[in-house]
Amino acid sequence: MEHGNDPSSLLQILRGMQEHFGHIPAHLVSRLADRLSIPRARIESVASFYSFLQLRPHGEYRVLFSDNVTDRMSGSQALMELMCQQLWLQPGKLSEDGLVSIDTTSCTGMCDQGPAMLVNDHAITRLDHQRIQEIVQLIRNRTPLADWPADFFRIEDNIRRSGLLLGNTLPRGEVLRAALVLGSHNILEQLNASGLRGRGGAGFPTGQKWEACRHAAGSGHYVVCNADEGEPGTFKDRVLLNCQADLVFEGMTLCALATGARKGFLYLRGEYRYLLDSLRAVLQRRREDRLLGVDILGQPGFDFDIDIHLGAGAYICGEESALIESLEGKRGVPRNRPPFPVTHGYLQQPTAVDNVETFCQAAMVLHIGPEKYRAIGTARSSGSKLISVSGDCPRPGIYEYPFGVTVREVLQDCGAVNAAAVQVSGPSGVCVPESEFDRKLGFEDLPTAGAFMVFDDSRDMFEVARNFVHFFAHESCGFCTPCRVGTSMLKQGMDKIAAGHGTHYDLAEIDKLDRVLQTTSHCGLGRTACNPVLHTLKHFRPAYEARLKSLEFEPAFDLDGALARARQMTGRDDAGAHLKENE
Ligand code: SF4
């Protein structure tokens, strides 16, 4: 009811249904289609796109184990197996009594306190043998989630090193008051002078983006905060939203003042649902303090407010145009660009999209002034950067550094010993081997959205790359054929090598596939899907070669194996029924 009959609220309506009924009931799909005056097929198409929405029942308890490589490194697969055994269940299947289903999901953003799982969208961290036994018992007893021990749902910030953002708490509204005196022209000048660049990885100058949005023609301007950090190994926005929510909203309101927007959205990734109530409470306080709403801070005509939209488990929605599609209640498929969101964004209107950290940094620029800000970091990368450290180190968590910090310095601070490689900026980023640990984090050398996954010398880097490749195949939105088919072929190729059937021919095929994906993919996911394999092949080739057969060619499809069931059914398993023996 709260969303009215607006089709652009479709995703939020479906999320509400999912939360209430545990799935999207078929009989309500037709009623919803009538009410929103859209085809039933559109609703089914949207519901089937997002992995947290289910058109069929998935049990009173839907358990999803986080399947990031760092969860695996801390034992998630064995824990999932244990839970399946104890509940007499196969992964991906609903129990016969309809009570529970267990499956995996992509990284839940809890890499500093994994292994982690989601139960009915609620994150549970620090899983171990004992916790799994307790969860099994609670499920068997049909204990409502609200009565589970609160400690299960405790999520730590794990801030290990603070700087400009994490070490300062600004009085609510202080930046806005100063900005109102400056006016939009001077705000943009200060941002440009500070050298602030977007913290999502691409590094577009923030002042230029806001300026372009301000000057774009449209019936209304919008501000969108991308809080859908789905890159495996990244969790810094989770921490900022928990401990610096006011600063995030201050930055968004500042953007509204600079661009002339009257409406903003914070798109929160579904895995961070636990933050929803506290974020809404912060928004409410800001409304009460006249920092949102009509005539903000008594300034006539300065009207702006923010809605929070909850994502539903689609990594691709972190891509800004896909996120806008999702905000409009559609499948999160990236748009053709140009035109860019600054001119044709939400509802085809000028829209400034930035991530959580960028809005905080923008507010800080106004707070300390562009000269001081520019003095932090390096010539082309001003300011500080939050790094999400996970993997093989005793002190995983959030570290804030001036740009220009080396990989080696971060490793020393987090206590990593015997590190053999660091994956910077998630699966689509760069695998940095030990010989390159003096490289610097920053736009000049290693641009990063924030993920910093440490692998020590006991890790099998082939398996790390295989996990990343599975991730891309799972998260490809399927819109364009090269990516849909290519990521799946890549996954099959890596699985073939893992099974001991790979040859040098398969490695050469990956090179060819990369060329196809680079040149024909519609968005960055497809273009970077081969990166983890190519990077690990370059630096850790023996991990691949140890698995290769010396044959020139080995088919990916095992025909003899595929006929095993037929042999079983016909009672024939003699040598003559086997293809190999007949060759
Ligand atoms: Fe979707 Fe992949 Fe095409 Fe991107 S490259 S639009 S993720 S299918």
Side-chain angles (χ1 to χ4, degrees), residues 31-77:
R31 281 174 54 187
L32 185 60
D34 288 345
R35 186 166 166 164
L36 301 184
S37 306
I38 56 175
R40 183 190 163 98
R42 174 171 163 195
I43 297 178
E44 288 173 342
S45 155
V46 169
S48 62
F49 184 83
Y50 296 91
S51 65
F52 290 178
L53 301 179
Q54 300 296 320
L55 287 160
R56 280 187 296 281
H58 271 255
E60 257 174 69
Y61 300 93
R62 185 175 187 220
V63 178
L64 294 171
F65 277 81
S66 183
D67 197 27
N68 186 23
V69 68
T70 53
D71 290 288
R72 287 188 175 211
M73 283 155 58
S74 45
S76 63
Q77 286 169 300

mmCIF file of all heavy atoms in Angstrom, residues 31-77:
data_model
loop_
_atom_site.group_PDB
_atom_site.id
_atom_site.type_symbol
_atom_site.label_atom_id
_atom_site.label_comp_id
_atom_site.label_asym_id
_atom_site.label_seq_id
_atom_site.Cartn_x
_atom_site.Cartn_y
_atom_site.Cartn_z
ATOM 1 N N ARG A 31 -2.862 -9.858 -9.495
ATOM 2 C CA ARG A 31 -3.526 -8.689 -8.877
ATOM 3 C C ARG A 31 -2.624 -7.456 -8.945
ATOM 4 O O ARG A 31 -3.084 -6.347 -9.190
ATOM 5 C CB ARG A 31 -3.898 -9.005 -7.419
ATOM 6 C CG ARG A 31 -5.175 -9.845 -7.370
ATOM 7 C CD ARG A 31 -5.521 -10.300 -5.990
ATOM 8 N NE ARG A 31 -5.601 -9.222 -5.008
ATOM 9 C CZ ARG A 31 -5.761 -9.444 -3.703
ATOM 10 N NH1 ARG A 31 -5.861 -10.678 -3.270
ATOM 11 N NH2 ARG A 31 -5.839 -8.441 -2.866
ATOM 12 N N LEU A 32 -1.345 -7.695 -8.730
ATOM 13 C CA LEU A 32 -0.395 -6.578 -8.790
ATOM 14 C C LEU A 32 -0.320 -6.010 -10.211
ATOM 15 O O LEU A 32 -0.258 -4.788 -10.401
ATOM 16 C CB LEU A 32 0.985 -7.067 -8.324
ATOM 17 C CG LEU A 32 2.080 -6.016 -8.208
ATOM 18 C CD1 LEU A 32 1.696 -4.917 -7.209
ATOM 19 C CD2 LEU A 32 3.405 -6.660 -7.770
ATOM 20 N N ALA A 33 -0.338 -6.914 -11.195
ATOM 21 C CA ALA A 33 -0.281 -6.468 -12.594
ATOM 22 C C ALA A 33 -1.482 -5.562 -12.898
ATOM 23 O O ALA A 33 -1.320 -4.494 -13.521
ATOM 24 C CB ALA A 33 -0.269 -7.681 -13.524
ATOM 25 N N ASP A 34 -2.671 -5.954 -12.427
ATOM 26 C CA ASP A 34 -3.864 -5.113 -12.644
ATOM 27 C C ASP A 34 -3.693 -3.764 -11.981
ATOM 28 O O ASP A 34 -3.977 -2.709 -12.553
ATOM 29 C CB ASP A 34 -5.112 -5.805 -12.060
ATOM 30 C CG ASP A 34 -5.505 -6.994 -12.913
ATOM 31 O OD1 ASP A 34 -5.001 -7.080 -14.052
ATOM 32 O OD2 ASP A 34 -6.277 -7.840 -12.431
ATOM 33 N N ARG A 35 -3.221 -3.826 -10.757
ATOM 34 C CA ARG A 35 -3.141 -2.600 -9.974
ATOM 35 C C ARG A 35 -2.126 -1.600 -10.549
ATOM 36 O O ARG A 35 -2.367 -0.392 -10.576
ATOM 37 C CB ARG A 35 -2.740 -2.995 -8.560
ATOM 38 C CG ARG A 35 -2.763 -1.852 -7.640
ATOM 39 C CD ARG A 35 -2.704 -2.339 -6.255
ATOM 40 N NE ARG A 35 -2.392 -1.192 -5.438
ATOM 41 C CZ ARG A 35 -2.548 -1.144 -4.168
ATOM 42 N NH1 ARG A 35 -3.006 -2.184 -3.539
ATOM 43 N NH2 ARG A 35 -2.253 -0.063 -3.500
ATOM 44 N N LEU A 36 -0.996 -2.124 -11.027
ATOM 45 C CA LEU A 36 0.031 -1.217 -11.569
ATOM 46 C C LEU A 36 -0.164 -0.961 -13.058
ATOM 47 O O LEU A 36 0.602 -0.213 -13.668
ATOM 48 C CB LEU A 36 1.433 -1.802 -11.340
ATOM 49 C CG LEU A 36 1.865 -2.080 -9.901
ATOM 50 C CD1 LEU A 36 3.313 -2.567 -9.854
ATOM 51 C CD2 LEU A 36 1.719 -0.838 -9.017
ATOM 52 N N SER A 37 -1.171 -1.638 -13.638
ATOM 53 C CA SER A 37 -1.450 -1.520 -15.085
ATOM 54 C C SER A 37 -0.216 -1.872 -15.916
ATOM 55 O O SER A 37 0.176 -1.125 -16.828
ATOM 56 C CB SER A 37 -1.924 -0.104 -15.450
ATOM 57 O OG SER A 37 -3.009 0.251 -14.657
ATOM 58 N N ILE A 38 0.415 -2.952 -15.567
ATOM 59 C CA ILE A 38 1.547 -3.456 -16.353
ATOM 60 C C ILE A 38 1.318 -4.941 -16.622
ATOM 61 O O ILE A 38 0.549 -5.593 -15.905
ATOM 62 C CB ILE A 38 2.909 -3.259 -15.621
ATOM 63 C CG1 ILE A 38 2.885 -3.926 -14.240
ATOM 64 C CG2 ILE A 38 3.269 -1.795 -15.493
ATOM 65 C CD1 ILE A 38 4.214 -3.877 -13.510
ATOM 66 N N PRO A 39 1.953 -5.486 -17.658
ATOM 67 C CA PRO A 39 1.733 -6.912 -17.936
ATOM 68 C C PRO A 39 2.282 -7.800 -16.812
ATOM 69 O O PRO A 39 3.311 -7.469 -16.207
ATOM 70 C CB PRO A 39 2.518 -7.157 -19.233
ATOM 71 C CG PRO A 39 2.934 -5.835 -19.733
ATOM 72 C CD PRO A 39 2.862 -4.866 -18.619
ATOM 73 N N ARG A 40 1.618 -8.901 -16.594
ATOM 74 C CA ARG A 40 2.071 -9.889 -15.606
ATOM 75 C C ARG A 40 3.503 -10.350 -15.943
ATOM 76 O O ARG A 40 4.331 -10.576 -15.067
ATOM 77 C CB ARG A 40 1.083 -11.073 -15.666
ATOM 78 C CG ARG A 40 1.355 -12.152 -14.672
ATOM 79 C CD ARG A 40 0.511 -13.393 -14.944
ATOM 80 N NE ARG A 40 1.122 -14.490 -14.225
ATOM 81 C CZ ARG A 40 0.729 -14.932 -13.040
ATOM 82 N NH1 ARG A 40 -0.328 -14.400 -12.467
ATOM 83 N NH2 ARG A 40 1.365 -15.899 -12.436
ATOM 84 N N ALA A 41 3.766 -10.447 -17.256
ATOM 85 C CA ALA A 41 5.095 -10.921 -17.690
ATOM 86 C C ALA A 41 6.195 -9.988 -17.189
ATOM 87 O O ALA A 41 7.303 -10.435 -16.882
ATOM 88 C CB ALA A 41 5.147 -11.016 -19.214
ATOM 89 N N ARG A 42 5.897 -8.699 -17.107
ATOM 90 C CA ARG A 42 6.940 -7.769 -16.626
ATOM 91 C C ARG A 42 7.258 -8.056 -15.166
ATOM 92 O O ARG A 42 8.427 -8.020 -14.742
ATOM 93 C CB ARG A 42 6.477 -6.310 -16.809
ATOM 94 C CG ARG A 42 7.473 -5.356 -16.190
ATOM 95 C CD ARG A 42 7.261 -3.899 -16.487
ATOM 96 N NE ARG A 42 8.019 -3.094 -15.526
ATOM 97 C CZ ARG A 42 7.851 -1.810 -15.321
ATOM 98 N NH1 ARG A 42 6.957 -1.145 -16.022
ATOM 99 N NH2 ARG A 42 8.561 -1.161 -14.430
ATOM 100 N N ILE A 43 6.236 -8.351 -14.400
ATOM 101 C CA ILE A 43 6.469 -8.631 -12.973
ATOM 102 C C ILE A 43 7.303 -9.907 -12.836
ATOM 103 O O ILE A 43 8.276 -9.954 -12.069
ATOM 104 C CB ILE A 43 5.120 -8.770 -12.225
ATOM 105 C CG1 ILE A 43 4.371 -7.447 -12.301
ATOM 106 C CG2 ILE A 43 5.354 -9.188 -10.789
ATOM 107 C CD1 ILE A 43 3.011 -7.452 -11.658
ATOM 108 N N GLU A 44 6.933 -10.931 -13.609
ATOM 109 C CA GLU A 44 7.680 -12.193 -13.516
ATOM 110 C C GLU A 44 9.119 -12.003 -13.995
ATOM 111 O O GLU A 44 10.053 -12.579 -13.443
ATOM 112 C CB GLU A 44 6.971 -13.277 -14.319
ATOM 113 C CG GLU A 44 5.696 -13.712 -13.618
ATOM 114 C CD GLU A 44 4.864 -14.663 -14.434
ATOM 115 O OE1 GLU A 44 5.056 -14.742 -15.667
ATOM 116 O OE2 GLU A 44 3.999 -15.319 -13.833
ATOM 117 N N SER A 45 9.258 -11.188 -15.011
ATOM 118 C CA SER A 45 10.595 -10.937 -15.550
ATOM 119 C C SER A 45 11.474 -10.236 -14.507
ATOM 120 O O SER A 45 12.638 -10.587 -14.312
ATOM 121 C CB SER A 45 10.447 -10.098 -16.827
ATOM 122 O OG SER A 45 11.583 -9.371 -17.079
ATOM 123 N N VAL A 46 10.907 -9.257 -13.810
ATOM 124 C CA VAL A 46 11.672 -8.547 -12.777
ATOM 125 C C VAL A 46 11.963 -9.491 -11.603
ATOM 126 O O VAL A 46 13.095 -9.587 -11.121
ATOM 127 C CB VAL A 46 10.903 -7.291 -12.296
ATOM 128 C CG1 VAL A 46 11.542 -6.698 -11.049
ATOM 129 C CG2 VAL A 46 10.874 -6.247 -13.406
ATOM 130 N N ALA A 47 10.934 -10.228 -11.183
ATOM 131 C CA ALA A 47 11.114 -11.119 -10.016
ATOM 132 C C ALA A 47 12.169 -12.184 -10.296
ATOM 133 O O ALA A 47 12.931 -12.557 -9.404
ATOM 134 C CB ALA A 47 9.791 -11.766 -9.646
ATOM 135 N N SER A 48 12.225 -12.660 -11.549
ATOM 136 C CA SER A 48 13.186 -13.730 -11.843
ATOM 137 C C SER A 48 14.608 -13.203 -12.022
ATOM 138 O O SER A 48 15.556 -13.968 -12.042
ATOM 139 C CB SER A 48 12.747 -14.509 -13.095
ATOM 140 O OG SER A 48 12.734 -13.624 -14.192
ATOM 141 N N PHE A 49 14.745 -11.900 -12.141
ATOM 142 C CA PHE A 49 16.078 -11.318 -12.351
ATOM 143 C C PHE A 49 16.887 -11.268 -11.053
ATOM 144 O O PHE A 49 18.104 -11.432 -11.054
ATOM 145 C CB PHE A 49 15.933 -9.898 -12.916
ATOM 146 C CG PHE A 49 17.241 -9.239 -13.249
ATOM 147 C CD1 PHE A 49 17.873 -9.488 -14.459
ATOM 148 C CD2 PHE A 49 17.849 -8.379 -12.344
ATOM 149 C CE1 PHE A 49 19.092 -8.892 -14.764
ATOM 150 C CE2 PHE A 49 19.071 -7.773 -12.637
ATOM 151 C CZ PHE A 49 19.685 -8.039 -13.860
ATOM 152 N N TYR A 50 16.200 -11.010 -9.941
ATOM 153 C CA TYR A 50 16.890 -10.762 -8.672
ATOM 154 C C TYR A 50 16.926 -12.031 -7.832
ATOM 155 O O TYR A 50 15.881 -12.643 -7.580
ATOM 156 C CB TYR A 50 16.174 -9.641 -7.903
ATOM 157 C CG TYR A 50 16.215 -8.314 -8.633
ATOM 158 C CD1 TYR A 50 15.197 -7.945 -9.515
ATOM 159 C CD2 TYR A 50 17.278 -7.453 -8.467
ATOM 160 C CE1 TYR A 50 15.248 -6.743 -10.198
ATOM 161 C CE2 TYR A 50 17.338 -6.239 -9.139
ATOM 162 C CZ TYR A 50 16.317 -5.888 -10.002
ATOM 163 O OH TYR A 50 16.379 -4.697 -10.679
ATOM 164 N N SER A 51 18.129 -12.374 -7.371
ATOM 165 C CA SER A 51 18.248 -13.688 -6.718
ATOM 166 C C SER A 51 17.556 -13.747 -5.356
ATOM 167 O O SER A 51 17.259 -14.821 -4.870
ATOM 168 C CB SER A 51 19.721 -14.086 -6.589
ATOM 169 O OG SER A 51 20.380 -13.205 -5.722
ATOM 170 N N PHE A 52 17.266 -12.600 -4.727
ATOM 171 C CA PHE A 52 16.580 -12.668 -3.433
ATOM 172 C C PHE A 52 15.064 -12.754 -3.584
ATOM 173 O O PHE A 52 14.355 -12.889 -2.591
ATOM 174 C CB PHE A 52 16.912 -11.441 -2.569
ATOM 175 C CG PHE A 52 18.324 -11.412 -2.054
ATOM 176 C CD1 PHE A 52 18.785 -10.355 -1.302
ATOM 177 C CD2 PHE A 52 19.200 -12.457 -2.314
ATOM 178 C CE1 PHE A 52 20.097 -10.318 -0.827
ATOM 179 C CE2 PHE A 52 20.507 -12.449 -1.856
ATOM 180 C CZ PHE A 52 20.955 -11.370 -1.110
ATOM 181 N N LEU A 53 14.563 -12.622 -4.802
ATOM 182 C CA LEU A 53 13.115 -12.739 -5.015
ATOM 183 C C LEU A 53 12.818 -14.137 -5.532
ATOM 184 O O LEU A 53 13.508 -14.631 -6.425
ATOM 185 C CB LEU A 53 12.627 -11.691 -6.018
ATOM 186 C CG LEU A 53 12.892 -10.228 -5.642
ATOM 187 C CD1 LEU A 53 12.369 -9.296 -6.733
ATOM 188 C CD2 LEU A 53 12.237 -9.879 -4.309
ATOM 189 N N GLN A 54 11.796 -14.764 -5.000
ATOM 190 C CA GLN A 54 11.485 -16.145 -5.359
ATOM 191 C C GLN A 54 10.032 -16.260 -5.761
ATOM 192 O O GLN A 54 9.150 -15.831 -5.027
ATOM 193 C CB GLN A 54 11.736 -17.075 -4.158
ATOM 194 C CG GLN A 54 13.170 -17.049 -3.659
ATOM 195 C CD GLN A 54 14.143 -17.561 -4.697
ATOM 196 O OE1 GLN A 54 13.852 -18.531 -5.396
ATOM 197 N NE2 GLN A 54 15.288 -16.902 -4.816
ATOM 198 N N LEU A 55 9.809 -16.841 -6.948
ATOM 199 C CA LEU A 55 8.416 -17.034 -7.390
ATOM 200 C C LEU A 55 7.834 -18.324 -6.821
ATOM 201 O O LEU A 55 6.637 -18.573 -6.925
ATOM 202 C CB LEU A 55 8.360 -17.050 -8.922
ATOM 203 C CG LEU A 55 8.576 -15.660 -9.553
ATOM 204 C CD1 LEU A 55 8.986 -15.757 -11.009
ATOM 205 C CD2 LEU A 55 7.328 -14.797 -9.402
ATOM 206 N N ARG A 56 8.685 -19.163 -6.232
ATOM 207 C CA ARG A 56 8.201 -20.405 -5.604
ATOM 208 C C ARG A 56 8.654 -20.415 -4.142
ATOM 209 O O ARG A 56 9.680 -19.835 -3.802
ATOM 210 C CB ARG A 56 8.774 -21.622 -6.322
ATOM 211 C CG ARG A 56 8.032 -21.964 -7.603
ATOM 212 C CD ARG A 56 8.540 -23.264 -8.177
ATOM 213 N NE ARG A 56 9.929 -23.167 -8.586
ATOM 214 C CZ ARG A 56 10.326 -22.599 -9.729
ATOM 215 N NH1 ARG A 56 9.435 -22.104 -10.560
ATOM 216 N NH2 ARG A 56 11.595 -22.537 -10.036
ATOM 217 N N PRO A 57 7.900 -21.125 -3.288
ATOM 218 C CA PRO A 57 8.297 -21.169 -1.868
ATOM 219 C C PRO A 57 9.695 -21.759 -1.685
ATOM 220 O O PRO A 57 10.069 -22.694 -2.387
ATOM 221 C CB PRO A 57 7.245 -22.085 -1.239
ATOM 222 C CG PRO A 57 6.103 -22.106 -2.190
ATOM 223 C CD PRO A 57 6.665 -21.875 -3.547
ATOM 224 N N HIS A 58 10.456 -21.189 -0.796
ATOM 225 C CA HIS A 58 11.803 -21.699 -0.499
ATOM 226 C C HIS A 58 11.959 -22.019 0.973
ATOM 227 O O HIS A 58 13.056 -21.998 1.515
ATOM 228 C CB HIS A 58 12.872 -20.695 -0.950
ATOM 229 C CG HIS A 58 13.295 -20.921 -2.358
ATOM 230 N ND1 HIS A 58 14.487 -21.494 -2.697
ATOM 231 C CD2 HIS A 58 12.632 -20.702 -3.513
ATOM 232 C CE1 HIS A 58 14.561 -21.606 -4.018
ATOM 233 N NE2 HIS A 58 13.453 -21.117 -4.522
ATOM 234 N N GLY A 59 10.827 -22.301 1.604
ATOM 235 C CA GLY A 59 10.892 -22.723 2.998
ATOM 236 C C GLY A 59 10.723 -21.566 3.962
ATOM 237 O O GLY A 59 10.919 -20.409 3.610
ATOM 238 N N GLU A 60 10.364 -21.953 5.195
ATOM 239 C CA GLU A 60 10.239 -20.937 6.246
ATOM 240 C C GLU A 60 11.578 -20.260 6.492
ATOM 241 O O GLU A 60 11.652 -19.100 6.854
ATOM 242 C CB GLU A 60 9.827 -21.631 7.548
ATOM 243 C CG GLU A 60 8.379 -21.475 7.908
ATOM 244 C CD GLU A 60 8.066 -22.317 9.123
ATOM 245 O OE1 GLU A 60 8.551 -21.964 10.212
ATOM 246 O OE2 GLU A 60 7.349 -23.324 8.956
ATOM 247 N N TYR A 61 12.642 -21.070 6.322
ATOM 248 C CA TYR A 61 13.994 -20.533 6.508
ATOM 249 C C TYR A 61 14.746 -20.701 5.202
ATOM 250 O O TYR A 61 14.903 -21.821 4.717
ATOM 251 C CB TYR A 61 14.736 -21.286 7.614
ATOM 252 C CG TYR A 61 14.054 -21.192 8.950
ATOM 253 C CD1 TYR A 61 13.151 -22.174 9.353
ATOM 254 C CD2 TYR A 61 14.296 -20.123 9.812
ATOM 255 C CE1 TYR A 61 12.510 -22.102 10.576
ATOM 256 C CE2 TYR A 61 13.664 -20.038 11.034
ATOM 257 C CZ TYR A 61 12.762 -21.027 11.415
ATOM 258 O OH TYR A 61 12.130 -20.932 12.628
ATOM 259 N N ARG A 62 15.202 -19.608 4.637
ATOM 260 C CA ARG A 62 16.030 -19.693 3.429
ATOM 261 C C ARG A 62 17.461 -19.337 3.828
ATOM 262 O O ARG A 62 17.757 -18.185 4.176
ATOM 263 C CB ARG A 62 15.508 -18.731 2.367
ATOM 264 C CG ARG A 62 16.269 -18.894 1.068
ATOM 265 C CD ARG A 62 15.696 -18.048 -0.041
ATOM 266 N NE ARG A 62 16.365 -18.386 -1.286
ATOM 267 C CZ ARG A 62 16.724 -17.510 -2.200
ATOM 268 N NH1 ARG A 62 16.446 -16.240 -2.032
ATOM 269 N NH2 ARG A 62 17.336 -17.903 -3.298
ATOM 270 N N VAL A 63 18.307 -20.334 3.789
ATOM 271 C CA VAL A 63 19.696 -20.141 4.223
ATOM 272 C C VAL A 63 20.582 -20.005 2.991
ATOM 273 O O VAL A 63 20.562 -20.860 2.099
ATOM 274 C CB VAL A 63 20.165 -21.349 5.073
ATOM 275 C CG1 VAL A 63 21.639 -21.174 5.476
ATOM 276 C CG2 VAL A 63 19.289 -21.525 6.297
ATOM 277 N N LEU A 64 21.345 -18.934 2.929
ATOM 278 C CA LEU A 64 22.266 -18.718 1.812
ATOM 279 C C LEU A 64 23.672 -18.504 2.365
ATOM 280 O O LEU A 64 23.916 -17.513 3.076
ATOM 281 C CB LEU A 64 21.838 -17.493 0.997
ATOM 282 C CG LEU A 64 20.503 -17.597 0.260
ATOM 283 C CD1 LEU A 64 20.099 -16.246 -0.320
ATOM 284 C CD2 LEU A 64 20.564 -18.644 -0.847
ATOM 285 N N PHE A 65 24.571 -19.417 2.078
ATOM 286 C CA PHE A 65 25.953 -19.266 2.516
ATOM 287 C C PHE A 65 26.693 -18.329 1.569
ATOM 288 O O PHE A 65 26.613 -18.487 0.342
ATOM 289 C CB PHE A 65 26.667 -20.626 2.520
ATOM 290 C CG PHE A 65 26.422 -21.431 3.765
ATOM 291 C CD1 PHE A 65 25.256 -22.165 3.899
ATOM 292 C CD2 PHE A 65 27.342 -21.436 4.799
ATOM 293 C CE1 PHE A 65 25.019 -22.904 5.043
ATOM 294 C CE2 PHE A 65 27.121 -22.164 5.943
ATOM 295 C CZ PHE A 65 25.954 -22.904 6.080
ATOM 296 N N SER A 66 27.408 -17.374 2.139
ATOM 297 C CA SER A 66 28.223 -16.473 1.336
ATOM 298 C C SER A 66 29.335 -17.290 0.676
ATOM 299 O O SER A 66 30.023 -18.059 1.348
ATOM 300 C CB SER A 66 28.826 -15.404 2.258
ATOM 301 O OG SER A 66 29.570 -14.487 1.507
ATOM 302 N N ASP A 67 29.496 -17.103 -0.640
ATOM 303 C CA ASP A 67 30.415 -17.979 -1.369
ATOM 304 C C ASP A 67 31.601 -17.219 -1.943
ATOM 305 O O ASP A 67 32.117 -17.561 -2.997
ATOM 306 C CB ASP A 67 29.649 -18.713 -2.485
ATOM 307 C CG ASP A 67 30.427 -19.916 -2.981
ATOM 308 O OD1 ASP A 67 31.221 -20.475 -2.203
ATOM 309 O OD2 ASP A 67 30.249 -20.292 -4.159
ATOM 310 N N ASN A 68 32.005 -16.180 -1.243
ATOM 311 C CA ASN A 68 33.227 -15.487 -1.676
ATOM 312 C C ASN A 68 34.431 -16.378 -1.366
ATOM 313 O O ASN A 68 34.374 -17.239 -0.495
ATOM 314 C CB ASN A 68 33.337 -14.157 -0.929
ATOM 315 C CG ASN A 68 34.489 -13.316 -1.432
ATOM 316 O OD1 ASN A 68 34.946 -13.495 -2.567
ATOM 317 N ND2 ASN A 68 34.971 -12.420 -0.608
ATOM 318 N N VAL A 69 35.534 -16.112 -2.057
ATOM 319 C CA VAL A 69 36.715 -16.956 -1.848
ATOM 320 C C VAL A 69 37.206 -16.862 -0.401
ATOM 321 O O VAL A 69 37.686 -17.857 0.165
ATOM 322 C CB VAL A 69 37.824 -16.589 -2.872
ATOM 323 C CG1 VAL A 69 38.402 -15.213 -2.619
ATOM 324 C CG2 VAL A 69 38.910 -17.626 -2.898
ATOM 325 N N THR A 70 37.045 -15.701 0.239
ATOM 326 C CA THR A 70 37.515 -15.589 1.631
ATOM 327 C C THR A 70 36.615 -16.379 2.583
ATOM 328 O O THR A 70 37.082 -16.883 3.599
ATOM 329 C CB THR A 70 37.580 -14.105 2.082
ATOM 330 O OG1 THR A 70 36.319 -13.495 1.845
ATOM 331 C CG2 THR A 70 38.666 -13.356 1.344
ATOM 332 N N ASP A 71 35.325 -16.493 2.273
ATOM 333 C CA ASP A 71 34.447 -17.359 3.073
ATOM 334 C C ASP A 71 34.916 -18.808 2.932
ATOM 335 O O ASP A 71 34.977 -19.551 3.898
ATOM 336 C CB ASP A 71 32.993 -17.252 2.596
ATOM 337 C CG ASP A 71 32.381 -15.903 2.924
ATOM 338 O OD1 ASP A 71 32.109 -15.648 4.102
ATOM 339 O OD2 ASP A 71 32.197 -15.098 1.996
ATOM 340 N N ARG A 72 35.239 -19.184 1.699
ATOM 341 C CA ARG A 72 35.722 -20.554 1.467
ATOM 342 C C ARG A 72 37.018 -20.805 2.229
ATOM 343 O O ARG A 72 37.224 -21.875 2.790
ATOM 344 C CB ARG A 72 35.969 -20.784 -0.026
ATOM 345 C CG ARG A 72 34.683 -20.910 -0.806
ATOM 346 C CD ARG A 72 34.961 -21.316 -2.216
ATOM 347 N NE ARG A 72 33.697 -21.554 -2.901
ATOM 348 C CZ ARG A 72 33.533 -22.435 -3.867
ATOM 349 N NH1 ARG A 72 34.534 -23.166 -4.289
ATOM 350 N NH2 ARG A 72 32.356 -22.595 -4.432
ATOM 351 N N MET A 73 37.907 -19.790 2.221
ATOM 352 C CA MET A 73 39.189 -19.951 2.910
ATOM 353 C C MET A 73 38.982 -20.151 4.402
ATOM 354 O O MET A 73 39.812 -20.749 5.075
ATOM 355 C CB MET A 73 40.070 -18.721 2.650
ATOM 356 C CG MET A 73 40.702 -18.737 1.267
ATOM 357 S SD MET A 73 41.131 -17.093 0.625
ATOM 358 C CE MET A 73 42.228 -16.463 1.856
ATOM 359 N N SER A 74 37.883 -19.622 4.932
ATOM 360 C CA SER A 74 37.652 -19.837 6.367
ATOM 361 C C SER A 74 36.652 -20.959 6.626
ATOM 362 O O SER A 74 36.081 -21.041 7.717
ATOM 363 C CB SER A 74 37.245 -18.531 7.053
ATOM 364 O OG SER A 74 36.295 -17.850 6.304
ATOM 365 N N GLY A 75 36.450 -21.813 5.635
ATOM 366 C CA GLY A 75 35.756 -23.075 5.901
ATOM 367 C C GLY A 75 34.270 -23.113 5.596
ATOM 368 O O GLY A 75 33.556 -24.000 6.085
ATOM 369 N N SER A 76 33.754 -22.184 4.776
ATOM 370 C CA SER A 76 32.301 -22.136 4.548
ATOM 371 C C SER A 76 31.754 -23.404 3.886
ATOM 372 O O SER A 76 30.643 -23.842 4.187
ATOM 373 C CB SER A 76 31.949 -20.922 3.693
ATOM 374 O OG SER A 76 32.545 -21.022 2.421
ATOM 375 N N GLN A 77 32.558 -24.016 2.989
ATOM 376 C CA GLN A 77 32.025 -25.191 2.280
ATOM 377 C C GLN A 77 31.771 -26.354 3.241
ATOM 378 O O GLN A 77 30.735 -27.020 3.171
ATOM 379 C CB GLN A 77 32.999 -25.614 1.176
ATOM 380 C CG GLN A 77 32.974 -24.679 -0.010
ATOM 381 C CD GLN A 77 34.110 -24.967 -0.959
ATOM 382 O OE1 GLN A 77 35.283 -24.879 -0.594
ATOM 383 N NE2 GLN A 77 33.778 -25.318 -2.174
#
